[in-house]
Amino acid sequence: MLRNWIQTLFSYLHLPLIAHADREMNDIREEIAFHLSASAEEKCDAGMDQQKSQQAALEQFGDVNSVVQDCCHVSLSRHVFWHRIHQILTLGLICAVGFLFWFYSQNKPATNSDLSALAPSGYSLAETNGVIRGTVVTDRGKPVNAAHVLAVVKTWPPNGFRQNSYTATTRADGTFLIKNAYPPEQDYEVQIAALAEGHLLQSEYISMRQGTLEPVRFQLKETAPFVLRFESHDGTPIAGVSAFPFERVDKNGAEHCVYFCSAEPIVQKSNATGTISMPHFLPGEQVTVYVRFPNSDWQTRQLVVPQEANELVLTPSVNDKLDDG
């Protein structure tokens, strides 16, 4: 029986159902004709004439057309069975493929194109439409042109904490504008600093909040010239030292600082005389500067600005690797 099922299966796979019907009927008729011929020959051998033996064999067999139809029906019912099995398996395969496609689309890892639809805040571009605007003026109220404004925005999107830096330069009227910096409808914090040549470093920290940020106003006090001089231990000037002002503590104990991640626009390098102008502090203040000697890493130096002199000498530490050893 198993063999017949296998043969029927291969037959179904090779031919359409209507071709199976024609072929089955022809095969059955040929088999019946062979059987009738053999029965008639047996009767001829028994002494009956040929015509009567054929008639007797036909009468003994019965209605040929009915037998053909019955046999064909039985044979085709097997093909119908396999046809239905085929349809069920095909439907199941389609459902399985559809489910796998849906599951992959829901759980596939984020690609670069997916991430590009998000703003640096971690929220969508449409959500991150908050602007940081403001004005930088002197302590006399005059606008400060070309002042550096360095902002760091902190956000807490569903996929983790974000901290991003933004920079701007004031216009001739002292105003500045940074677009698309934070999501007004979500939690955010902002640290913002202003730095201008010959003026005091000033910063402000805006704690956790939501909504639109009010314009920021910096009023910078003018300062006297102040220079950092970098020398080796034998007094030789060192060129190529990178440095920028990091923090100052004013007389009231308030800290004003620049975040390292936003400091690139204000980094300077010492010239052939080993000097960098850094007029952003007041005499007597405790300050911190970031310094990187050639072939060395960034480090912080805590200093006290001299009351009288406008210059302070810094030498390499034991960890700095200079070309002269």
Side-chain angles (χ1 to χ4, degrees):
M1 181 176 180
L2 180 60
R3 182 180 179 184
N4 291 335
W5 277 32
I6 294 175
Q7 290 177 346
T8 305
L9 174 60
F10 279 98
S11 176
Y12 164 76
L13 294 174
H14 283 85
L15 293 173
L17 194 58
I18 188 170
H20 286 302
D22 293 340
R23 193 191 68 176
E24 289 293 332
M25 293 185 69
N26 290 333
D27 290 345
I28 292 170
R29 288 185 184 278
E30 290 178 1
E31 186 174 348
I32 291 175
F34 174 79
H35 179 76
L36 291 175
S37 177
S39 178
E41 288 181 0
E42 290 179 357
K43 293 180 175 3
C44 282
D45 293 341
M48 189 180 293
D49 65 47
Q50 183 175 3
Q51 185 174 1
K52 289 182 178 181
S53 63
Q54 292 177 350
Q55 184 65 30
L58 187 59
E59 290 175 355
Q60 185 180 4
F61 183 85
D63 187 357
V64 174
N65 289 331
S66 297
V67 173
V68 170
Q69 292 292 335
D70 291 341
C71 293
C72 186
H73 176 74
V74 172
S75 178
L76 290 179
S77 64
R78 298 174 185 172
H79 293 289
V80 171
F81 168 77
W82 286 111
H83 180 70
R84 290 174 179 173
I85 293 295
H86 181 213
Q87 288 179 321
I88 293 172
L89 292 176
T90 302
L91 179 61
L93 180 61
I94 293 173
C95 292
V97 171
F99 173 78
L100 290 175
F101 179 81
W102 173 84
F103 182 81
Y104 176 76
S105 64
Q106 295 296 316
N107 297 276
K108 66 178 181 177
T111 61
N112 290 336
S113 59
D114 295 329
L115 295 176
S116 65
L118 296 178
S121 66
Y123 295 97
S124 69
L125 295 173
E127 291 178 290
T128 311
N129 58 6
V131 300
I132 302 174
R133 67 174 76 244
T135 308
V136 179
V137 298
T138 67
D139 54 356
R140 299 176 183 178
K142 294 183 178 180
V144 179
N145 183 32
H148 291 289
V149 178
L150 314 173
V152 175
V153 178
K154 302 177 182 180
T155 54
W156 289 263
N159 53 350
F161 170 74
R162 300 292 182 90
Q163 178 172 290
N164 298 285
S165 59
Y166 302 86
T167 62
T169 304
T170 57
R171 309 180 185 95
D173 61 356
T175 61
F176 64 89
L177 175 66
I178 300 173
K179 296 181 179 180
N180 304 321
Y182 60 88
E185 304 304 319
Q186 307 294 337
D187 291 336
Y188 68 91
E189 293 184 347
V190 178
Q191 195 278 342
I192 185 168
L195 203 70
E197 184 68 21
H199 293 80
L200 204 59
L201 165 63
Q202 186 175 334
S203 70
E204 180 179 350
Y205 196 93
I206 302 167
S207 300
M208 184 84 70
R209 59 163 297 153
Q210 292 183 359
T212 302
L213 191 65
E214 296 295 327
V216 182
R217 180 180 174 85
F218 287 106
Q219 194 164 357
L220 306 185
K221 184 176 181 178
E222 295 184 359
T223 60
F226 178 67
V227 172
L228 290 179
R229 181 180 297 277
F230 298 95
E231 296 180 353
S232 64
H233 294 287
D234 62 3
T236 304
I238 304 175
V241 180
S242 300
F244 67 88
F246 169 57
E247 184 181 62
R248 54 173 284 266
V249 180
D250 64 23
K251 61 182 180 180
N252 298 319
E255 297 179 353
H256 300 269
C257 70
V258 172
Y259 275 25
F260 184 89
C261 60
S262 65
E264 183 178 357
I266 61 171
V267 175
Q268 301 181 70
K269 283 192 175 184
S270 60
N271 54 25
T273 63
T275 59
I276 290 179
S277 176
M278 201 168 288
H280 309 299
F281 311 121
L282 293 177
E285 284 189 330
Q286 295 181 350
V287 304
T288 303
V289 296
Y290 260 100
V291 175
R292 184 174 62 185
F293 285 88
N295 305 313
S296 299
D297 298 325
W298 283 104
Q299 58 184 269
T300 56
R301 293 289 184 94
Q302 294 181 340
L303 316 170
V304 176
V305 180
Q307 290 284 356
E308 302 297 336
N310 63 355
E311 182 177 287
L312 196 62
V313 177
L314 297 181
T315 57
S317 67
V318 293
N319 295 323
D320 293 317
K321 303 174 183 178
L322 302 182
D323 292 338
D324 59 3

